[in-house]
Amino acid sequence: MKKLVRLFIAVLLVSFLLMFLVAKLNATEGYSSDHTLTVFNWGDYIDEELIAKFEKETGIKVIYETFDSNEAMLTKIQQGGTSYDVAVPSEYMIEKMREEDLLIPLDHSKLKNLKYIDPRFMDLPFDPGNRYSIPYFWGTVGIVYNPEILGDFEIKGWNDLWNPVLKNEILMVDGAREAMGIGLNSLHYSLNDTNKEHLLEAKEKLETLTPNIKAIVGDEIKILMANEEAAIGIVWSGDAADIMWENEKLDYVVPEEGSNLWFDNMVIPKTAKNVEGAHQFINFMLDPKNAAQNTDYVSYSTPNKEALNYLDEEVVNDKRFYPDEELTERLEVYENLGKKMLSYYNELYLEFKMHTK
Ligand code: N2P
């Protein structure tokens, strides 16, 4: 009998121990999703001091990861291996992600600072009513150049890039739509052209630019241009601003044939585990002082109207980086061209890239 009692007590103890362990495990899981936030952003696209400030204010620990193209970001989110809580895609990608049901609708009542965004950047065609996305930065694609290296040669548009004096002088941002866009715009086609013959023509024209291309690069384009490693850089406007801040000799032009106007926005992907924290983070980035600090740091153009008051007047009045509506009217926003077309753009871009090697 004694043996039986002992056995009974032992079984009871083991069960309690197991129950305790299970409860503890559950609690840790709850802890990790409520107290951490995984943010997925472009490289060099945030002042990391703001991450520390957010962590301090909220007690939420931020796990920060970066990507270098919309396409790479999409693949990671589709795979679903990491539970990203906030991501920052560009407009055409937001439309695509919406279509693929990869985004969570936002609760605007939790985004009190949304009122600071300039209405000009709200309610755009890729996301009517901003149901899924909140403006982060915006800008153009253009040419940053070094007049000292170029001498009398003046750069006005895409077609100037083919001039033989630019042999091995061009550094190019690594983006499928940006590169294809140079070919398309130089032929006066739309950046959203879906005519396969036009696209092929654009790619073939781009291939004839190869002798002038020094390299296709990522974020390091900023250091290379500032160090005068090349005369020309094809870049996003904010990178140009950063480069020109480092090296005052350089200048930036939005090509006369037209170019791309883009909008990067914060979204909450379906992979999110901390939807509440994601709203808190978005709202934090919308705070005018935080937005100004971020703008100051990354050099991109802010859509936050109130933040402009905290920024250097010279910067926000610079039409090269805060183009007025007149200039932006001749620019095109990328559209979501559908899965097949976007893959075709990528395919042609890869063929061109192979050609440059
Ligand atoms: C920052 C990249 C900006 C992305 N490094 C432009 N959409």
Side-chain angles (χ1 to χ4, degrees):
M1 189 65 189
K2 247 190 185 169
K3 252 191 187 164
L4 218 63
V5 170
R6 252 191 248 149
L7 189 70
F8 181 71
I9 292 175
V11 167
L12 217 62
L13 273 177
V14 170
S15 330
F16 273 133
L17 194 69
L18 275 174
M19 268 158 69
F20 173 76
L21 279 176
V22 167
K24 191 153 167 75
L25 262 176
N26 278 339
T28 335
E29 216 174 78
Y31 180 87
S32 75
S33 58
D34 290 351
H35 289 82
T36 66
L37 189 77
T38 310
V39 177
F40 201 22
N41 199 356
W42 294 81
D44 284 354
Y45 218 29
I46 201 165
D47 178 354
E48 297 205 1
E49 272 182 22
L50 286 168
I51 299 179
K53 185 177 171 197
F54 174 78
E55 288 180 326
K56 210 167 151 211
E57 269 180 24
T58 60
I60 297 174
K61 159 118 191 63
V62 173
I63 301 163
Y64 193 75
E65 276 188 36
T66 61
F67 55 84
D68 55 16
S69 73
N70 279 297
E71 289 67 27
M73 179 238 30
L74 177 71
T75 309
K76 282 295 268 299
I77 288 186
Q78 281 168 333
Q79 285 167 348
T82 310
S83 20
Y84 296 110
D85 296 301
V86 177
V88 192
S90 310
E91 64 304 298
Y92 72 98
M93 192 48 76
I94 289 169
E95 202 175 314
K96 187 171 162 68
M97 292 172 88
R98 253 179 47 202
E99 251 175 41
E100 291 188 20
D101 197 24
L102 289 172
L103 301 178
I104 291 179
L106 303 170
D107 181 349
H108 284 204
S109 73
K110 293 185 174 149
L111 304 173
K112 299 270 184 278
N113 294 329
L114 189 53
K115 58 177 184 278
Y116 298 121
I117 296 290
D118 187 336
R120 183 178 161 203
F121 301 102
M122 296 287 291
D123 199 24
L124 295 175
F126 59 89
D127 183 21
N130 292 82
R131 267 197 81 203
Y132 296 95
S133 69
I134 302 297
Y136 185 66
F137 283 118
W138 67 286
T140 55
V141 171
I143 303 172
V144 67
Y145 61 96
N146 188 330
E148 212 174 76
I149 306 183
L150 292 178
D152 290 338
F153 186 67
E154 211 189 324
I155 294 280
K156 288 206 183 109
W158 295 122
N159 279 298
D160 294 323
L161 298 181
W162 273 264
N163 195 302
V165 301
L166 295 180
K167 186 157 194 284
N168 212 26
E169 284 293 353
I170 302 176
L171 290 173
M172 201 161 131
V173 64
D174 188 7
R177 292 201 73 168
E178 284 73 13
M180 284 299 291
I182 300 170
L184 288 166
N185 268 163
S186 74
L187 292 161
H188 301 281
Y189 292 143
S190 158
L191 292 178
N192 297 306
D193 204 322
T194 54
N195 178 320
K196 286 201 164 181
E197 269 166 42
H198 290 173
L199 290 170
L200 207 57
E201 196 187 331
K203 190 224 37 168
E204 277 162 7
K205 175 154 183 197
L206 209 52
E207 282 175 351
T208 63
L209 187 62
T210 307
N212 288 1
I213 297 177
K214 186 173 179 128
I216 298 177
V217 283
D219 285 328
E220 64 273 27
I221 199 163
K222 292 188 277 186
I223 300 173
L224 294 172
M225 284 307 297
N227 287 346
E228 308 189 5
E229 297 284 341
I232 303 271
I234 294 153
V235 291
W236 291 299
S237 47
D239 284 359
D242 206 33
I243 291 164
M244 287 157 61
W245 173 257
E246 292 294 332
N247 186 335
E248 285 178 359
K249 276 186 231 158
L250 289 117
D251 205 349
Y252 177 71
V253 64
V254 178
E256 58 190 1
E257 299 93 337
S259 188
N260 166 234
L261 173 69
W262 54 262
F263 306 98
D264 289 344
N265 293 252
M266 296 176 275
V267 299
I268 306 184
K270 272 268 159 83
T271 50
K273 284 224 175 102
N274 189 357
V275 174
E276 180 61 37
H279 280 91
Q280 274 175 271
F281 183 82
I282 295 173
N283 198 47
F284 174 87
M285 295 311 293
L286 290 171
D287 171 88
K289 282 197 180 153
N290 294 341
Q293 182 180 332
N294 205 24
T295 305
D296 217 15
Y297 184 88
V298 301
S299 304
Y300 275 83
S301 315
T302 180
N304 192 310
K305 217 174 173 181
E306 192 64 23
L308 296 178
N309 298 325
Y310 300 102
L311 291 163
D312 202 339
E313 247 179 70
E314 220 176 282
V315 173
V316 299
N317 291 328
D318 191 332
K319 290 253 159 61
R320 290 170 303 183
F321 302 114
Y322 284 87
D324 51 21
E325 284 179 63
E326 196 188 307
L327 170 68
T328 52
E329 248 163 54
R330 71 177 169 89
L331 304 177
E332 268 182 295
V333 179
Y334 297 140
E335 285 164 21
N336 171 25
L337 306 173
K339 208 176 185 143
K340 272 202 189 136
M341 244 323 129
L342 289 179
S343 308
Y344 190 55
Y345 268 72
N346 282 337
E347 203 180 294
L348 291 176
Y349 175 58
L350 290 181
E351 279 172 30
F352 155 70
K353 245 175 121 171
M354 293 286 287
H355 204 267
T356 62
K357 284 196 180 129

